[in-house]
Amino acid sequence: MIPGIEQINGIWRGKVILSSWNDFFGENLIIELNIGGDKTVKNLEKKHKEAYEYILHHQSELLETILFSLLSEYSNMQDEYGYDDDEIDNYMPNVSGIHDFSKLMCPKRIYILDIEKDNLSYIGFSFSCSWDDEHGYGVMMHKNRLVKMGSEETAFLSWVAEEDI
């Protein structure tokens, strides 16, 4: 159904390679794949497979949506994090465009949730990032629409998707 996916300790896991993401981040990334997020999924279903296919076929568009959404909120996030002048260049430097994020963050995991809308599961993306090495950065999406952004847990919490429905 989904290549390389297997159930380990009750959790469906695998890996995915997204060539356009590798191009953007300038490295050969193997991103972890998780089916279910914070919920246990007993069986893989059509909605999970279709979400996986959606990711593969829309990988560039998904990344652009994530990055442009981050760019639009980044200056507010800089204020919220409140790094001192001597720290900001190391952790959360000013950016002039989305390409600047290629050195500030890296994708870690993609979550295909068990929650669906319009016959497609919600998808979460989590990243390690320079500005928050403990909590990371995460987004929840439905198709190419960003539902919510925040810390890494935003990417796998079912209630975020449920609230959107």
Side-chain angles (χ1 to χ4, degrees):
M1 185 184 251
I2 297 175
I5 195 92
E6 58 185 334
Q7 197 172 29
I8 303 169
N9 298 327
I11 300 170
W12 289 99
R13 297 178 182 179
K15 300 193 181 303
V16 64
I17 296 172
L18 303 175
S19 59
S20 66
W21 289 44
N22 287 349
D23 292 345
F24 177 81
F25 289 102
E27 55 186 291
N28 293 323
L29 301 167
I30 300 173
I31 305 169
E32 292 180 35
L33 181 64
N34 171 292
I35 310 296
D38 63 348
K39 304 275 182 174
T40 301
V41 173
K42 293 191 189 266
N43 298 305
L44 294 181
E45 298 176 22
K46 183 179 179 184
K47 64 184 173 185
H48 304 125
K49 166 88 167 136
E50 289 179 359
Y52 175 79
E53 294 292 331
Y54 187 89
I55 293 165
L56 294 180
H57 291 99
H58 296 89
Q59 57 185 281
S60 297
E61 181 183 350
L62 291 167
L63 183 58
E64 284 182 10
T65 299
I66 292 166
L67 294 170
F68 279 112
S69 297
L70 176 57
L71 183 63
S72 71
E73 289 298 316
Y74 190 72
S75 64
N76 293 333
M77 291 168 60
Q78 285 176 308
D79 292 341
E80 289 172 18
Y81 277 91
Y83 284 110
D84 294 333
D85 289 342
D86 58 336
E87 297 175 314
I88 198 159
D89 286 339
N90 290 328
Y91 299 108
M92 208 169 192
N94 292 330
V95 298
S96 59
I98 62 169
H99 284 85
D100 293 336
F101 292 124
S102 69
K103 302 298 181 217
L104 301 178
M105 57 195 287
C106 184
K108 285 174 51 176
R109 191 170 292 118
I110 298 174
Y111 298 90
I112 298 175
L113 273 61
D114 204 38
I115 298 158
E116 67 179 296
K117 180 178 178 180
D118 301 328
N119 299 315
L120 191 72
S121 290
Y122 280 77
I123 304 165
F125 299 89
S126 70
F127 299 82
S128 59
C129 61
S130 61
W131 59 88
D132 195 335
D133 62 352
E134 184 177 346
H135 300 106
Y137 175 70
V139 298
M140 178 72 65
M141 299 184 72
H142 185 258
K143 296 184 181 177
N144 66 345
R145 180 177 58 86
L146 193 128
V147 173
K148 184 176 175 108
M149 69 170 69
S151 64
E152 190 173 353
E153 68 182 12
T154 304
F156 64 80
L157 293 174
S158 297
W159 69 262
V160 174
E162 290 166 348
E163 252 186 15
D164 185 61
I165 296 173

